[in-house]
Amino acid sequence: MGCVQVVGATVVDGTGRDPVDVDVTLEDGHITQVGAAGARGERIEAGGLTMTPGLIDAHVHLGLSSPIQPQFSFRISAAEIAADIFATAGATLDAGFTTVRDTGGIDGGLVTTIAKGKVRGPRVLSCGPVQCQIGGHGYYGADWEPTELWSSHHVPGLCALSMMSGNADELRANVREAFRRGASFLKLCVTGGVVGAHDRLTDTQFTVEEIAVAVQEAAARGTYVTVHAHNNDGIRNAVEAGVRCVEHGTDLDESTATLMATREVALVPTFAVVEQLLHDTAGAGLGESTRDRVLGVRERMTEALAVAKEAGVRIGLGSDLIGPAQNRRGEELRLRAELETPMEALVAATKTNAEILGLSGRAGVVAPGAQADLVLWNGNPVEDPELFADPANAVLVLKAGRVVKDLR
């Protein structure tokens, strides 16, 4: 890949520093210079556009692009499920997200397919199937169905929502299987959830000792555990067990936030899915009972965000969108910009998320040595965060230096 120079853009580099008008030089998929462009190489004229790093979504479910219940109850063909997943992967890239962390729903074959370039999509880090407690969050089989049949609902190599464990030994076996199938980190459900079939938000799932088994297995492979957690008891159990990250964190209290900060445990709030379920529950393929569950969650999650910030917790950003309507992933930045500043939302979706994902310095910044994952916006989203929410405003997207979307 030859030298490419992007000239004339206003650059917001992802670190929180003020925007600057500067040229950016790319070579072999990486940024080589941020400064005045030379005479050699291809030039991309970007006058009037704003450059940011490629956005990172730390909580996606590419494999839940079809309605969940029909998808995992044999009412949708594997061909249609695959088509929905591939469409969502492309839409994610078109919205300016060049890296995502899939927190459950896809199997290893999809990650490989996107990485090979056979399907348009972002760079994907995946936990494989979510690790769940028998009878807990993440199980969508019928009440009468034996738990051991649940894995037969997976489509190997494409989608695999969750694995069930009844004790620490079963959990150890399941996480080893997840790693064998390509997981790069682990996710456990340690409380009930909003989109649940057999649990409540107040349920606490897995013991500290059980969670610690997953932490041990992840550490043995140089990686980490994140947890789905809404209630504070579940969050605290996970932190005490040694996890690195907490998803949602709806009822996080001050003392647990302080413990998270002390132990360098990150938080990834997820506001876009809350808005999705409040305003278009049916569009996500879910019933009104799910909407009832989500009432009040946004207010409590907002409070948890403030508590975490006050305690000094590292806070990333994730959309958690499910179902077919995943094309406006940037809505998460718009919502966060209402609670913080647009610049803080952008930093969460770039530099901070890269740190959480273990990609610090390699993604999430416009700096020499980083991957050339870049988005050029029609306007300045730091001044008008509504721009993040509409994929049409991401007029040029580069992934590892290659143009993957161009609306100029």
Side-chain angles (χ1 to χ4, degrees):
M1 190 182 301
C3 178
V4 177
Q5 297 170 341
V6 185
V7 299
T10 298
V11 177
V12 188
D13 69 4
T15 67
R17 290 193 286 261
D18 290 339
V20 292
D21 295 333
V22 66
D23 301 331
V24 177
T25 303
L26 324 174
E27 196 161 359
D28 295 327
H30 289 78
I31 298 169
T32 56
Q33 181 177 325
V34 178
R40 67 191 185 96
E42 176 188 352
R43 288 170 65 91
I44 296 177
E45 299 293 340
L49 303 178
T50 301
M51 177 190 292
T52 69
L55 303 179
I56 302 170
D57 192 333
H59 192 121
V60 308
H61 293 289
L62 298 180
L64 305 185
S65 300
S66 303
I68 295 177
Q69 294 283 11
Q71 176 178 345
F72 288 99
S73 57
F74 307 112
R75 286 182 278 163
I76 303 178
S77 72
E80 186 174 347
I81 293 168
D84 288 344
I85 292 173
F86 297 159
T88 294
T92 297
L93 201 58
D94 288 340
F97 289 85
T98 52
T99 301
V100 299
R101 183 177 63 162
D102 193 287
T103 51
I106 62 174
D107 210 358
L110 180 64
V111 178
T112 303
T113 299
I114 294 174
K116 288 180 177 178
K118 293 187 175 183
V119 175
R120 291 183 72 246
R123 187 176 299 103
V124 182
L125 287 73
S126 170
C127 68
V130 182
Q131 304 301 321
C132 303
Q133 174 181 291
I134 288 177
H137 189 60
Y139 178 74
Y140 292 93
D143 292 344
W144 50 261
E145 181 181 344
T147 301
E148 58 266 24
L149 296 182
W150 171 240
S151 61
S152 67
H153 292 261
H154 295 174
V155 180
L158 181 65
C159 57
L161 180 57
S162 56
M163 302 172 78
M164 301 293 136
S165 300
N167 55 49
D169 288 341
E170 291 180 4
L171 179 62
R172 191 182 298 276
N174 282 341
V175 301
R176 288 176 176 176
E177 173 66 10
F179 281 125
R180 185 195 68 78
R181 286 158 58 174
S184 56
F185 67 99
L186 297 175
K187 179 187 172 189
L188 274 63
C189 289
V190 301
T191 75
V194 172
V195 184
H198 305 272
D199 56 272
R200 300 165 299 174
L201 283 170
T202 52
D203 291 349
T204 301
Q205 299 166 7
F206 284 130
T207 64
V208 174
E209 294 73 22
E210 288 170 331
I211 300 167
V213 166
V215 171
Q216 181 186 41
E217 291 292 327
R221 294 161 178 82
T223 188
Y224 67 96
V225 174
T226 191
V227 293
H228 158 105
H230 285 280
N231 71 60
N232 193 70
D233 287 344
I235 297 170
R236 194 169 191 95
N237 284 349
V239 174
E240 290 179 348
V243 308
R244 188 192 294 180
C245 189
V246 171
E247 313 295 311
H248 315 302
T250 304
D251 292 316
L252 177 68
D253 70 13
E254 293 179 4
S255 64
T256 303
T258 299
L259 183 63
M260 288 177 64
T262 300
R263 299 196 178 181
E264 299 184 338
V265 179
L267 174 68
V268 177
T270 53
F271 289 95
V273 70
V274 176
E275 292 296 305
Q276 178 192 43
L277 296 178
L278 279 173
H279 297 111
D280 191 17
T281 312
L286 300 165
E288 281 301 306
S289 62
T290 298
R291 188 178 186 280
D292 294 339
R293 283 183 180 225
V294 83
L295 290 172
V297 168
R298 177 167 187 189
E299 290 74 15
R300 303 201 310 277
M301 195 178 288
T302 300
E303 293 169 4
L305 174 63
V307 166
K309 286 190 70 174
E310 180 66 24
V313 174
R314 176 181 291 153
I315 305 171
L317 177 145
S319 67
D320 194 22
L321 295 176
I322 57 175
Q326 297 192 37
N327 61 314
R328 292 176 62 90
R329 198 170 297 283
E331 188 75 13
E332 185 70 27
L333 282 87
R334 185 191 69 78
L335 292 167
R336 280 285 290 275
E338 293 177 353
L339 304 173
E340 304 177 89
T341 67
M343 181 67 83
E344 286 174 317
L346 176 64
V347 172
T350 52
K351 179 177 179 289
T352 303
N353 270 354
E355 293 168 352
I356 292 171
L357 272 58
L359 300 174
S360 184
R362 290 183 284 159
V365 290
V366 181
Q371 292 172 141
D373 297 341
L374 304 169
V375 185
L376 289 159
W377 300 88
N378 182 23
N380 189 340
V382 174
E383 295 177 354
D384 180 9
E386 294 279 347
L387 297 174
F388 284 126
D390 186 351
N393 294 314
V395 295
L396 186 70
V397 180
L398 293 92
K399 175 186 170 187
R402 295 185 180 276
V403 175
V404 291
K405 177 188 178 183
D406 190 351
L407 297 182
R408 294 172 301 156

